[in-house]
Amino acid sequence: MRNPKIKNLWHPCSQMKDYEEFPPIEIVKAEKEYLFLEDGKKLIDAISSWWCKSLGHAHPEIKKAVSDQMEAFEHVILANTSNSLIRKLSKKLASFSPGLDKVFYGGDGSTAVEIAVKMALHANVIKGCPDKNQFMALKNGYHGETILTLALSDLGLYKDPYRGLMQEIQYIRVPYVNTTDDPLWSNCGKMWSKIEQSLDAVADKLCGIVFEPVVQGAGGMLIYSADFLKRLSQWCSKKNVYLIADEIMTGMGRTGKALACEHAGIEPDIACLSKGLTSGWFPFSAVLTSSDMYELFYDDYETHKAFMHSNTYTGNALSAAAALASIKIYERDGVFKNVEENFPKFFNTFKDMTSQTDVFTNIRGIGAVVAADLILPEKLKGKRAGYMVYHEAVKAGALLRPLGNTVYWMPPLNISDEALENLKEITVIAVKKVFQ
Ligand SMILES: Cc1ncc(COP(=O)(O)O)c(C=O)c1O
């Protein structure tokens, strides 16, 4: 029977009919790594509310920064106006990677990728090579929900119905690893020559390559070789192809670095940040690029070189306040370094869960992301095992939201040891319920 509570609301990324059987979870409050429900129960937010609540919910310092800013102004058009807050944030973001010292703002992750792609394409038009206008992306990559970002994404589940509106994109093969200990992580030489051949074939027409550095999120929490990125970056600079890092999920400490590109020791031409940038307080994104890129667009108005991208909420002041406060906490508390140092404990806890359940393969992890794939027994073949695990986990006390049959944890970066231990026990209970 249809849920009478869902009269007007159409939930994202959901088959609404599923809610007949298992209604949406009613949230009344959220604090730190916990979601509090109307029936008095609490759930561990094991996926940081779609990977963005990096400092957990309701962080008091971010709350204070946002409410202080609210006293001054909440939003003023950023074309033709400026303020000290947005300049301070830009200066801070420009310090993350020495060559990325110009910052353009967007409203959400998808918009940031759109901005980056438009900027690269426009740059080639200004440079007089408008026919160097193709883009490539990585196999299994995901870059957002707008038509352009879906076109770049290699995930049929999200893009198939809309293909009629999309250009065909070629995808680059990716050398996957489970951890940084895999020799492929630091040397993918054997696979590279074939990959290079496929790139060389289209180099003349290629404007840019868009990629999620080191971890592909929606594609199934897939980790890949840092050496591959290094080689890709070298190839791009040789062939004048823009390297566009979609750091929306990986950036701001998720892999233990400010930018995940650091794992490969590379600097992209453009990097997109969102999610953890405000610790998930507001829809907000930043596109970082170089002075060289900026200078291409800098000229008299009549030359029509200006980058005219103009989202209403660009540079929103409340978001900027949340971003600055988040970065202050990341830096003061050494959050990114803690992620790196805590990885063995985090990964071992996850591995412990997999050995207690004994139904997982491809156990993988980096930073504060761990994942593994369910091996389905005969009785579960053709069933939505991951979705069933989600049900059981909610009943047992955690919001886990497997991607297909991939179970992953991506909790707030500052999750407590106690919550992590509970998350392990809850995951074991949920998986056993479904598999036994
Ligand atoms: C790597 C990556 N790029 C882009 C996006 C899109 O961001 P948004 O949902 O804010 O548009 C996401 C969202 O999950 C993402 O993980």
Side-chain angles (χ1 to χ4, degrees), residues 50-51 107-111 113 142-145 149 212 215 217-218 246-250 274-275 284:
W50 259 338
W51 323 337
D108 55 20
S110 306
T111 311
V113 177
Y142 174 79
H143 300 289
E145 292 296 333
T149 56
E212 295 157 275
V215 190
D246 175 350
E247 294 261 11
I248 286 157
M249 188 275 277
T250 53
S274 187
K275 299 195 187 268
F284 191 57

Side-chain angles (χ1 to χ4, degrees), residues 149-333:
T149 56
L150 273 180
L152 292 165
S153 305
D154 180 31
L155 296 177
L157 175 67
Y158 303 109
K159 72 188 275 188
D160 278 346
Y162 324 108
R163 280 186 196 266
L165 279 172
M166 294 173 192
Q167 254 190 17
E168 271 303 315
I169 299 280
Q170 284 189 50
Y171 298 105
I172 304 166
R173 261 183 73 205
V174 184
Y176 291 110
V177 300
N178 280 341
T179 66
T180 59
D181 293 334
D182 188 316
L184 257 189
W185 170 261
S186 40
N187 186 356
C188 74
K190 278 198 186 134
M191 284 181 73
W192 176 252
S193 48
K194 272 223 157 131
I195 298 171
E196 190 173 24
Q197 272 172 23
S198 67
L199 294 172
D200 284 342
V202 290
D204 291 348
K205 285 253 162 212
L206 202 56
C207 176
I209 294 178
V210 184
F211 64 100
E212 295 157 275
V214 177
V215 190
Q216 297 177 304
M221 299 301 155
L222 303 170
I223 304 167
Y224 66 84
S225 165
D227 181 51
F228 164 73
L229 265 195
K230 193 179 275 174
R231 290 170 192 261
L232 195 64
S233 163
Q234 285 162 356
W235 184 89
C236 282
S237 28
K238 259 196 318 211
K239 305 283 179 178
N240 287 322
V241 172
Y242 287 115
L243 195 60
I244 301 173
D246 175 350
E247 294 261 11
I248 286 157
M249 188 275 277
T250 53
M252 309 309 287
R254 182 51 68 183
T255 71
K257 311 273 186 203
L259 300 180
C261 281
E262 290 172 40
H263 287 283
I266 63 158
E267 187 168 66
D269 297 291
I270 309 178
C272 306
L273 291 168
S274 187
K275 299 195 187 268
L277 178 58
T278 63
S279 187
W281 271 67
F282 295 107
F284 191 57
S285 55
V287 179
L288 279 48
T289 192
S290 64
S291 290
D292 283 354
M293 177 68 85
Y294 176 88
E295 291 301 328
L296 280 174
F297 291 78
Y298 195 95
D299 209 335
D300 293 329
Y301 183 79
E302 291 69 25
T303 61
H304 300 299
K305 291 182 187 168
F307 190 53
M308 298 300 279
H309 189 97
S310 49
N311 290 125
T312 306
Y313 300 111
T314 286
N316 175 263
L318 300 181
S319 313
L324 261 177
S326 300
I327 294 168
K328 187 171 158 203
I329 299 163
Y330 291 142
E331 291 187 339
R332 185 197 61 207
D333 298 351

